Amino acid sequence: MYNRITMQEQKIMQMVCDLAGAVCDRPFADETIVIFRHGAQGKWFGALLNAPRRALKLDGEGETRVLNAKCDPLLASMLRDTYPEISAGYHMNKTHWISLMLEGGLPEEEFCKLLSLSYQLTLPKARRRDFD
């Protein structure tokens, strides 16, 4: 069972805190789940959580740590084909969300880019135009 925050997770949470109006939240009794959301409207754009290895089609028993992020469906399909560490979003809409496994060789810059994209995709439409 997961019960500690890794350096990689600290970096991810710091990146979230650096996004305008974004907050890290632990709204559930399970303290291992960290939700990333827009502070004003509360809309989620990411989550750190444990996922069963078998749900991600990984070998072995137990759980692994993942970052869920919203993603354009075409990009999500390409990413799943390119990186074995990216799968359809665990416990989320499989078309619009992806799960990035923290263990493995996914480059840190990919985590940052995809989390930033998720943040942008979930902004209110008026604010989203600022990024276009």
Side-chain angles (χ1 to χ4, degrees):
M1 180 72 171
Y2 171 88
N3 61 3
R4 61 180 165 70
I5 294 181
T6 65
M7 282 296 269
Q8 186 179 28
E9 289 181 54
Q10 287 176 353
K11 287 179 183 178
I12 290 168
M13 287 189 278
Q14 183 58 55
M15 189 200 136
V16 168
C17 291
D18 291 343
L19 295 169
V23 296
C24 297
D25 194 12
R26 287 189 166 92
F28 304 109
D30 182 348
E31 289 281 319
T32 66
I33 301 172
V34 182
I35 303 301
F36 306 135
R37 60 185 179 82
H38 297 277
Q41 90 234 39
K43 191 167 189 176
W44 292 20
F45 64 90
L48 279 171
L49 63 150
N50 297 331
R53 295 181 66 80
R54 70 177 178 280
L56 301 172
K57 299 179 175 76
L58 297 174
D59 293 334
E61 298 295 317
E63 297 178 321
T64 189
R65 202 75 171 139
V66 297
L67 168 65
N68 282 350
K70 190 160 188 174
C71 191
D72 172 80
L74 292 174
L75 177 59
S77 177
M78 185 191 75
L79 290 167
R80 288 191 302 268
D81 290 343
T82 304
Y83 296 106
E85 299 89 359
I86 298 179
S87 64
Y90 171 69
H91 212 28
M92 303 295 270
N93 179 301
K94 306 292 188 236
T95 302
H96 297 281
W97 287 79
I98 55 175
S99 288
L100 298 83
M101 289 168 241
L102 271 58
E103 66 180 49
L106 191 65
E108 185 176 319
E109 58 270 10
E110 286 300 317
F111 282 98
C112 294
K113 281 191 239 173
L114 293 169
L115 194 54
S116 179
L117 174 64
S118 183
Y119 170 83
Q120 292 171 27
L121 288 171
T122 55
L123 281 170
K125 288 185 184 2
R127 291 267 332 268
R128 199 176 310 160
R129 277 179 259 154
D130 296 340
F131 287 93
D132 292 338

